Amino acid sequence: MAMTVVAPLANAHTTVKSSTLEDGGIYQTIPDFFDLVFARKVGLASLTLKDTDGKEIVLDFTLPKSMETKFSIPMPS
């Protein structure tokens, strides 16, 4: 499955250190969680995952109000 990750940041002056899913990656199985790690604390303004057809993947995830360096988003089963 290929996915597109769109995660605009409230504070966009940092870099993504690591991610369990890569933009445009193709996966035979999807992990239970999508981990997104930043170089410093950020606030997520929004997060969207899309399949190869551009259809949004519905996530059971509420954007946290706190600034974090790591976000762990549960993936649909």
Side-chain angles (χ1 to χ4, degrees), residues 9-47:
L9 306 174
N11 182 351
H13 300 288
T14 191
T15 57
V16 174
K17 285 179 61 177
S18 66
S19 169
T20 49
L21 299 174
E22 297 296 324
D23 187 16
I26 298 174
Y27 303 91
Q28 297 299 322
T29 59
I30 297 176
D32 293 333
F33 289 88
F34 165 44
D35 293 329
L36 195 54
V37 181
F38 294 90
R40 64 184 179 123
K41 287 187 175 184
V42 298
L44 287 181
S46 66
L47 176 75

Side-chain angles (χ1 to χ4, degrees), residues 3-4 9 17 26 44-45 53 56-58 61 66 69 77:
M3 293 187 190
T4 301
L9 306 174
K17 285 179 61 177
I26 298 174
L44 287 181
D53 296 325
E56 185 174 335
I57 297 169
V58 178
F61 177 72
S66 60
T69 55
S77 50

Side-chain angles (χ1 to χ4, degrees), residues 56-71:
E56 185 174 335
I57 297 169
V58 178
L59 301 172
D60 185 18
F61 177 72
T62 302
L63 293 172
K65 295 182 182 178
S66 60
M67 304 276 282
E68 304 292 339
T69 55
K70 181 180 179 182
F71 299 91

